[in-house]
Amino acid sequence: MAGNQPPLDIVELLPDLLREVSPRPSELTIFELSVPPEAQKRVVHRPELKAVIEAALRLRSEHGVPFWDAMMLNSLSQPEDIRSVLLDASGLHQPMSTAVVQHRLSIADLSPLALRSLLAKAQEGNISVVSSRLLMPDGTESHLPLLDFRLPVSASSSVIIEDIVRRLGFSGLVLESGNSYHFYGRSLLSASEMREFLGRAILYAPIVDYRWIAHQLVEGACALRISKGKAFAYSPRIVLEIR
C-alpha cells in the first residue's frame, strides 16, 4: 500500500469484480435495511431472562462462546415459558422483503461514484447490503459466492481465512468488516451450487459464522454489508486477494 492511503473498500472494488465474473449484462440488488436491536435486547426483560442473558454474556466474555450458543445452552435448564421466549428470539429472521428500499442496478453501468451516491441517500442508522443474486439477461439467476467470518481481526486470522477459502476451492477478495472478515468470490454459482458452497463452508464453523449461513439459506441468497453503519464507521476494506 503506497504512502498512508487507506485500503480500498468494497464500494470501490465491487463494480469491477462484478463485471469480471459477469461479462454479460446483468443486474444486482442493493437492499437498504433498518438495523434490528441487538440480540439480547430482543428478549423481553423479565428478572429470569435478565439472569439468562447475563450468564450468556459471561460465557462469551470468558470462553469466547458465541452469544446465541450460550443462550441456547442456558435455555435447556429454564422453565418452559422462559425457554419459549428464548427460542422465539433465536429463530428471528429478517427477510429481505422487509427492506426499506430495494435498488436494482445494471452491472454494466455500475461505478464506485454511483454506488457511493446511492449509499449516501440511505436513512441515518440504516445499512446497505449487496445480494449475491444476479439476474442474467435470459431471466436466469446466478450467485456471487459470499461468506461472513467470526474471527477477530489479526494477521493470523487472515492466514486462517485464506486457508479455508482455498480448501473450498475459491479465489477472491477478503475484506475486514470492522470486527471480522467478509469474502467475495471471483466466480458465479447456480442456486444449487450456492447451497453446496454454504454447506461446505459451515463445516468450518465457528470460524465461519454459521448463524449468518442459516439466514442466507432461509433467504435463498446471501447478503453482506457494503455501507458503514451498525456501529461501523466505514465500509469493509480489502486486506487480502486470493488468486
Side-chain angles (χ1 to χ4, degrees):
M1 194 72 60
N4 294 319
Q5 292 183 343
L8 295 176
D9 65 15
I10 188 57
V11 179
E12 195 72 29
L13 297 163
L14 187 60
D16 284 345
L17 174 64
L18 289 169
R19 279 190 284 271
E20 179 183 344
V21 301
S22 181
R24 294 188 295 160
S26 53
E27 292 182 343
L28 80 156
T29 305
I30 304 292
F31 294 94
E32 180 185 335
L33 304 173
S34 59
V35 181
E38 290 182 352
Q40 55 265 39
K41 293 180 180 177
R42 297 202 303 264
V43 179
V44 178
H45 285 285
R46 294 164 44 178
E48 307 96 317
L49 288 170
K50 185 177 180 180
V52 176
I53 293 168
E54 289 175 349
L57 290 172
R58 281 196 303 273
L59 270 176
R60 183 176 70 178
S61 175
E62 295 171 6
H63 303 289
V65 178
F67 176 78
W68 278 109
D69 285 16
M71 288 285 277
M72 291 297 95
L73 288 171
N74 286 334
S75 75
L76 299 176
S77 59
Q78 300 302 314
E80 183 178 352
D81 59 332
I82 300 297
R83 185 169 61 251
S84 178
V85 173
L86 297 176
L87 292 174
D88 286 343
S90 179
L92 179 67
H93 173 72
Q94 183 182 19
M96 290 298 164
S97 60
T98 64
V100 177
V101 184
Q102 298 184 26
H103 301 281
R104 293 281 286 274
L105 305 173
S106 166
I107 291 175
D109 299 329
L110 194 63
S111 70
L113 182 62
L115 202 48
R116 290 190 197 283
S117 176
L118 182 71
L119 298 183
K121 296 175 183 176
Q123 297 179 30
E124 185 176 358
N126 289 351
I127 62 169
S128 295
V129 302
V130 63
S131 174
S132 67
R133 183 182 285 120
L134 306 178
L135 181 64
M136 310 309 285
D138 59 3
T140 61
E141 294 179 351
S142 295
H143 289 266
L144 191 68
L146 304 179
L147 279 179
D148 193 16
F149 289 87
R150 288 189 54 87
L151 281 181
V153 175
S154 71
S156 61
S157 290
S158 61
V159 172
I160 294 169
I161 288 172
E162 179 177 7
D163 193 16
I164 289 174
V165 169
R166 290 192 184 282
R167 288 172 187 274
L168 290 170
F170 285 83
S171 63
L173 307 177
V174 177
L175 297 103
E176 187 245 299
S177 63
N179 59 4
S180 192
Y181 297 90
H182 292 165
F183 170 71
Y184 286 75
R186 190 179 273 112
S187 57
L188 290 179
L189 303 176
S190 67
S192 61
E193 289 170 337
M194 183 196 70
R195 289 191 294 272
E196 180 184 348
F197 165 67
L198 293 175
R200 292 177 59 212
I202 205 171
L203 297 175
Y204 298 101
I207 296 172
V208 176
D209 189 339
Y210 75 90
R211 285 185 62 87
W212 177 85
I213 287 182
H215 287 293
Q216 314 318 299
L217 289 171
V218 171
E219 191 67 31
C222 300
L224 289 174
R225 177 178 59 86
I226 61 171
S227 67
K228 62 181 181 179
K230 198 181 179 182
F232 302 122
Y234 52 83
S235 298
R237 298 172 175 175
I238 188 167
V239 294
L240 178 66
E241 182 173 4
I242 303 173
R243 295 185 178 279

